[in-house]
């Protein structure tokens, strides 16, 4: 397939079903809730009637959203399809990412990896970032304790920043947990390349022109290349015969011809891909070649 054909085959955003009334309600309710939240955090006194009005407006908005969702369900859409029609795709992707991060903490604690059932081979890739992530987590914990002590006299502000700081600690740990529990996977004639909870790309083996073991510590940003460093390095380079779609964080399509990734044992990944691909035109570069 040519690049224009691939772009045409990519999923296109669904047409919005949000009517003008719902859009107007959102444009009033959401900024209003934000203003109330800022006032509460900053200690600005708010009349009880204003707070009550804000709560009622939020309830009306939630009711309107639920009504539209039920209407979509009655028209035969699945729960996921109805939600995709109702909520903008960037918002959905952001929420899903956060949920994957938190779910990864549970998987990490219970020693369960994601997407490895029936795999021909599994390749971990989070080892070389562990020390850095633990250090960052420790710094976040220290900052949380210090800020909590300094804000003791402002209970509303203290509660807000305590929530933000605790979530930050969980998020940092969750990013590392996602790297540990979501390894690269070789299965069903494809290499599933992942990084934390935000990158998940399926690369068919018959589209791999070459696979090379090379250690890189610097990576130039190019539109048709995907670099997935761990601990600032990549150890495997895939060159493709045809581009694959590696969506950006908020869902925008991105076609790439070269993928650089890291594995704790790059030799195992290289050998497994070469072995499973059989007659595919795979070639190995200099073992562990150091590149700038």
């Amino acid at each position: 397939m040519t690049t224009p054909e691939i772009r045409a085959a990519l999923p296109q955003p669904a047409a919005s079903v949000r009517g003008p009334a719902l859009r107007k309600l959102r444009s009033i309710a959401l900024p209003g809730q934000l203003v109330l939240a800022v006032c509460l955090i900053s200690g600005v006194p708010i009349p009880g009637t204003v707070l009550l009005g804000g709560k009622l407006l939020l309830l009306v908005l939630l009711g309107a959203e639920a009504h539209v969702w039920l209407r979509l369900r009655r028209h035969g859409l699945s729960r996921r399809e109805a939600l995709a029609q109702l909520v903008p795709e960037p918002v959905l992707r952001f929420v899903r990412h956060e949920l994957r991060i938190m779910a990864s903490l549970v998987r990490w604690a219970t020693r369960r990896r994601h997407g490895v059932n029936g795999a021909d081979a599994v390749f971990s890739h989070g080892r070389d970032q562990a020390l850095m992530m633990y250090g960052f987590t420790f710094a976040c914990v220290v900052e949380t304790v210090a800020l909590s002590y300094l804000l003791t006299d402002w209970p509303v502000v203290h509660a807000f920043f305590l929530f933000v700081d605790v979530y930050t600690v969980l998020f940092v740990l969750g990013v590392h947990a996602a790297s540990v529990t979501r390894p690269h996977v070789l299965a069903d004639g494809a290499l599933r390349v992942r990084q934390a909870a935000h990158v998940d790309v399926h690369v068919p083996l018959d589209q791999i022109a070459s696979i090379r073991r090379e250690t890189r510590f610097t990576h130039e940003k190019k539109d048709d290349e995907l670099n997935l460093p761990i601990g600032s390095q990549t150890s495997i380079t895939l060159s493709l015969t045809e581009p694959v779609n590696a969506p950006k964080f908020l869902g925008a399509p991105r076609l790439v011809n070269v993928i650089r990734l890291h594995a704790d044992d790059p030799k195992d990944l290289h050998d497994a891909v070469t072995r499973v691909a059989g007659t595919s035109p795979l070639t190995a570069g200099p073992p562990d070649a150091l590149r700038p």
Side-chain angles (χ1 to χ4, degrees), residues 7 23 48 55 65 73 84 118 126 168 171 207 228 240 251 279 281:
R7 292 187 185 277
R23 287 198 297 269
K55 293 178 181 179
E65 300 277 8
R73 292 283 288 140
T168 300
F171 181 84
Q207 289 183 216
L228 304 174
L240 309 180
T279 59

Side-chain angles (χ1 to χ4, degrees), residues 44-252:
V44 175
I46 302 175
T49 53
V50 175
L51 281 175
L52 179 60
K55 293 178 181 179
L56 290 176
L57 190 60
L58 181 60
L59 288 175
V60 171
L61 175 61
L62 292 176
E65 300 277 8
H67 171 72
V68 174
W69 187 82
L70 290 173
R71 189 177 65 186
L72 291 170
R73 292 283 288 140
R74 285 196 296 268
H75 281 77
L77 274 68
S78 67
R79 292 186 179 91
R80 183 182 294 271
E81 291 170 340
L83 190 62
Q85 287 280 343
L86 191 60
V87 182
E89 177 65 16
V91 175
L92 276 180
R93 291 185 67 89
F94 178 80
V95 171
R96 288 170 184 160
H97 175 263
E98 300 303 295
L99 291 176
R100 285 195 295 267
I101 289 289
M102 296 303 136
S104 295
L105 285 171
V106 178
R107 288 183 174 275
W108 193 29
T110 56
R111 298 180 179 274
R112 292 185 298 112
R113 292 186 293 185
H114 176 272
V116 299
N117 293 335
D120 297 315
V122 175
F123 312 98
S124 60
H125 61 268
R127 182 183 62 198
D128 292 334
Q129 72 175 10
L131 185 60
M132 177 187 69
M133 299 303 288
Y134 292 148
F136 192 22
T137 300
F138 177 75
C140 290
V141 171
V142 172
E143 188 267 345
T144 299
V145 174
L147 196 59
S148 180
Y149 174 76
L150 292 173
L151 296 177
T152 303
D153 295 334
W154 294 276
V156 176
V157 179
H158 174 270
F160 173 78
F161 279 101
L162 181 61
F163 171 81
V164 171
D165 287 341
V166 170
Y167 187 83
T168 300
V169 172
L170 292 176
F171 181 84
V172 173
L173 278 177
V175 169
H176 180 57
S179 296
V180 173
T181 60
R182 303 171 72 87
H184 305 309
V185 176
L186 185 63
D188 300 325
L191 177 63
R192 188 176 184 181
V193 176
R194 302 195 279 188
Q195 186 179 62
H198 62 284
V199 176
D200 194 338
V201 181
H202 286 76
V203 183
L205 295 182
D206 58 8
Q207 289 183 216
I208 300 179
S210 68
I211 177 170
R212 300 188 302 277
R213 288 168 51 201
E214 57 178 10
T215 302
R216 285 178 175 258
F217 295 95
T218 59
H219 305 86
E220 297 181 9
K221 291 185 177 180
K222 295 182 179 179
D223 290 339
D224 63 343
E225 295 184 3
L226 177 65
N227 298 307
L228 304 174
I230 294 291
S232 300
Q233 66 175 313
T234 57
S235 53
I236 292 286
T237 298
L238 301 176
S239 297
L240 309 180
T241 59
E242 297 180 12
V244 298
N245 183 35
K248 297 180 181 179
F249 183 76
L250 294 180

Side-chain angles (χ1 to χ4, degrees), residues 18-33:
R18 298 182 292 275
L22 184 56
R23 287 198 297 269
K24 184 175 294 185
L25 186 58
R26 282 182 174 180
S27 66
I28 296 173
L30 296 180
Q33 297 301 314

